Amino acid sequence: MTTLETIPSELAVTTSWESKGGSQWLASDALEVRKMAEVMMAHQGRLLTITATQLPEDGGMTLDYHWDLDGTLLTFAFVVENNQVASIFDLCEAADWIEREIHEHYGIEVTGREYEPLLLRAGDKMGVNLHEEED
Amino acid sequence: MSYRIPMGPYHPALEEPYKLELVCDGETVQDAKLNIGFNFRGIEQLAETRNFIQIVALMERVCGICSNTHTLSICQAVEQIAEITPPPRALYIRVIMAELERLHSHVLWAGVAGKLIGFKTMFMTCFAVREQIMNVLQTISGNRVNYAMNRVGGVNRDIDDPAMILAMIGELEKDMVKTVIPVFTTSHSALSRCTGVGVLSEEKARSLGVVGPTARASGLPQDLRRAAPYAAYEEMDFNVPVEHSGDVKARLVVRALEILESCSILRQALSKLPAGEIFTGDESEMEIPEGRGFSRVEAPRGEVIYSVTWGEDTDTPSRVHVRTPTYINMPAVRWMVRGARLADTPLIQASIDPCYSCTDR
């Protein structure tokens, strides 16, 4: 089996990869953010970024973690629950600015680490969802 | 006793505004804190108000140096969603534009590095050479900064006379081999300011996830043109220069060698340019279906990633996320300047070839 094929079982999920839009996708209710980071770092995966998306009609937020594994783009999809997500910064340093930006732009609390806003925006707008602010 | 020195947001060593707060003990830097956000334009959110034609022009403004990279990235992402394959000639032209952009970016950086080293003659020489590259870009596109070459489904302009461009590339390469590259790879004046300075170890580079020449100078042989080829890179024969010392010199040498590789790729692409159309589809009838598309491009500074979501029955995307190379490389500066001399910090921060407009978006 290839590394790609073993990852779902290492993450204890029963779903398999789906190829979509130029990335391999893995989505499952059983996925855990920190377990994903541990497994990807163990395979020398490289965290590329995290895409935060607000779903229409107050459907909540999703976070898609994009990794590179030997040139293959892998995406792990998560639904944000209780407006918070566990930090992976202690497992993967590359997550530092990305997590801080997600807090700053979407108001999602990143738990398990101390952080300051990235200060991309003006100081009175920290942790406020840009889209809701616009409304 | 330690003291703090702010560098920026407006400082002669910075090409764009950002701030480094340096904690020093005497002349030695102990730690640094980085502040960005001085160029935030809300481009990701603005992109959600643009259709598939307008968004290309918008994303071209993310960066003034690698503008072509951003149009290529957004077009590739939308093409993924719409399942459009541009014609072979368009893919070759995309490679040519991308390599010309890499050339002018690397030569511009060499000039800036020359200035920071205190070698102003080199700055003038590099900018004279870069002007030749800008002339080639202008000959092809009619523009010097935002080339407006990419469109969803291909490119906007053809290269009518590849032989003329080839001759210009030949002249350009001759000048670079004669002046820029020897100075940065053999000159004692240049190397004494760069050797052993601003070291980023391979382990730290891997942990921070750095990209592009910054990663390759720390021993990580990653290059998307090789690992995940896009456009026509699969048909190009080229080397990926890698250095292992992780210092400013290594970053300099990697870029110098990449200049030669870019010239080689340009010669291949121009001589093998396939005949045919330069775009596919009719923009007036094109509709983008619901879906997600990703695009990764090896920009001069490293990997750019676009994540685009298109909703159902809509002219505009519901989400566009951009991750630029400086965004992921910049945190490494904190580790590069630790233990360095204060006087070396301008050169060290410049050695990642930072772009803050890209970073802030």
Side-chain angles (χ1 to χ4, degrees):
Chain A
M1 286 177 90
T2 64
T3 305
L4 193 63
E5 289 166 336
T6 63
I7 287 173
S9 57
E10 289 176 57
L11 291 169
V13 299
T14 51
T15 50
S16 54
W17 295 105
E18 182 190 357
S19 181
K20 195 168 61 176
S23 176
Q24 297 292 325
W25 283 73
L26 195 63
S28 165
D29 291 341
L31 266 180
E32 290 175 29
V33 170
R34 288 185 60 80
K35 182 70 181 165
M36 166 207 65
E38 281 172 13
V39 168
M40 290 307 295
M41 292 304 286
H43 288 298
Q44 298 212 324
R46 182 164 57 87
L47 180 68
L48 302 175
T49 189
I50 306 169
T51 305
T53 307
Q54 182 162 32
L55 299 174
E57 295 166 11
D58 204 20
M61 299 285 304
T62 59
L63 292 178
D64 300 328
Y65 289 70
H66 310 292
W67 296 77
D68 175 278
L69 189 67
D70 298 328
T72 303
L73 177 61
L74 308 181
T75 302
F76 298 86
F78 295 89
V79 174
V80 178
E81 291 175 359
N82 304 318
N83 203 40
Q84 61 181 34
V85 64
S87 171
I88 59 168
F89 172 49
D90 58 324
L91 303 167
C92 172
E93 276 188 280
D96 183 16
W97 281 23
I98 303 168
E99 289 183 347
R100 289 161 66 189
E101 181 178 335
I102 284 171
H103 168 72
E104 185 174 323
H105 281 191
Y106 293 95
I108 295 171
E109 297 298 330
V110 184
T111 61
R113 65 170 290 194
E114 289 183 3
Y115 60 93
E116 296 176 1
L118 198 52
L119 291 173
L120 272 168
R121 292 191 281 150
D124 59 344
K125 293 177 179 174
M126 298 301 106
V128 176
N129 188 326
L130 262 174
H131 289 82
E132 288 171 1
E133 189 184 56
E134 191 184 49
D135 297 337
Chain B
M1 191 182 120
S2 67
Y3 58 97
R4 287 177 180 273
I5 292 192
M7 191 174 125
Y10 305 103
H11 186 280
L14 305 180
E15 301 304 313
E16 297 168 77
Y18 94 108
K19 189 177 175 186
L20 254 180
E21 285 181 47
L22 300 161
V23 179
C24 297
D25 183 6
E27 284 293 306
T28 306
V29 178
Q30 290 179 319
D31 201 358
K33 187 179 169 190
L34 289 82
N35 295 114
I36 57 171
F38 298 95
N39 310 283
F40 179 70
R41 291 157 289 162
I43 285 186
E44 288 188 2
Q45 201 184 16
L46 199 55
E48 295 168 15
T49 66
R50 299 292 191 270
N51 67 28
F52 77 93
I53 298 172
Q54 296 165 330
I55 200 171
V56 180
L58 175 67
M59 302 324 278
E60 189 148 43
R61 271 83 184 160
V62 170
C63 179
I65 300 295
C66 48
S67 56
N68 183 72
T69 294
H70 288 276
T71 59
L72 176 56
S73 301
I74 187 71
C75 287
Q76 287 188 161
V78 176
E79 286 159 6
Q80 282 279 359
I81 297 170
E83 297 182 350
I84 296 170
T85 306
R89 190 174 179 88
L91 297 178
Y92 269 68
I93 292 173
R94 284 180 173 182
V95 166
I96 291 164
M97 290 303 292
E99 292 311 312
L100 283 168
E101 190 170 71
R102 192 179 320 280
L103 272 183
H104 100 72
S105 177
H106 280 5
V107 177
L108 183 146
W109 178 82
V112 170
K115 188 186 84 173
L116 292 172
I117 287 168
F119 196 170
K120 290 194 177 161
T121 312
M122 200 61 230
F123 169 79
M124 302 301 282
T125 305
C126 286
F127 269 65
V129 172
R130 179 175 177 262
E131 198 56 27
Q132 294 178 49
I133 310 169
M134 302 310 288
N135 288 341
V136 178
L137 283 162
Q138 191 172 1
T139 303
I140 294 173
S141 72
N143 299 303
R144 286 172 58 87
V145 179
N146 296 320
Y147 317 109
M149 282 295 281
N150 291 299
R151 62 187 282 178
V152 173
V155 293
N156 284 316
R157 296 180 197 87
D158 204 351
I159 294 179
D160 299 321
D161 190 356
M164 185 188 77
I165 306 294
L166 261 173
M168 292 172 95
I169 299 297
E171 286 298 309
L172 184 67
E173 188 176 12
K174 215 187 303 170
D175 281 355
M176 282 193 289
V177 168
K178 201 169 69 184
T179 56
V180 179
I181 292 170
V183 165
F184 280 111
T185 51
T186 60
S187 152
H188 177 72
S189 306
L191 293 179
S192 62
R193 283 295 312 274
C194 305
T195 308
V197 172
V199 175
L200 182 70
S201 69
E202 182 176 337
E203 185 190 5
K204 201 69 188 170
R206 194 184 299 279
S207 171
L208 290 164
V210 298
V211 294
T214 305
R216 295 191 281 275
S218 289
L220 301 178
Q222 60 194 39
D223 188 325
L224 280 176
R225 295 174 295 172
R226 176 65 56 78
Y230 51 91
Y233 279 109
E234 203 151 24
E235 293 162 43
M236 303 296 147
D237 182 24
F238 63 97
N239 295 315
V240 177
V242 176
E243 292 285 312
H244 294 274
S245 54
D247 54 4
V248 173
K249 179 193 159 198
R251 293 188 271 282
L252 211 148
V253 170
V254 162
R255 287 195 185 90
L257 296 174
E258 285 184 7
I259 287 173
L260 297 179
E261 292 302 325
S262 286
C263 289
S264 162
I265 294 171
L266 280 165
R267 273 198 304 275
Q268 293 172 55
L270 282 160
S271 33
K272 292 194 292 186
L273 190 62
E277 298 294 322
I278 58 167
F279 60 85
T280 187
D282 180 353
E283 278 185 334
S284 63
E285 291 177 4
M286 207 180 277
E287 285 182 6
I288 310 302
E290 181 183 12
R292 287 289 296 269
F294 299 92
S295 170
R296 292 197 290 163
V297 168
E298 187 72 29
R301 299 175 173 97
E303 176 183 22
V304 167
I305 176 167
Y306 269 60
S307 160
V308 177
T309 308
W310 218 279
E312 195 179 351
D313 295 328
T314 174
D315 291 337
T316 57
S318 54
R319 179 79 173 103
V320 177
H321 175 52
V322 183
R323 208 273 350 252
T324 62
T326 303
Y327 188 92
I328 208 78
N329 285 341
M330 198 63 214
V333 169
R334 182 184 178 202
W335 303 99
M336 291 176 187
V337 300
R338 280 185 170 186
R341 288 178 304 178
L342 180 61
D344 285 333
T345 50
L347 179 62
I348 293 171
Q349 64 85 33
S351 70
I352 66 160
D353 191 9
C355 177
Y356 300 104
S357 295
C358 288
T359 305
D360 294 352
R361 289 153 284 143

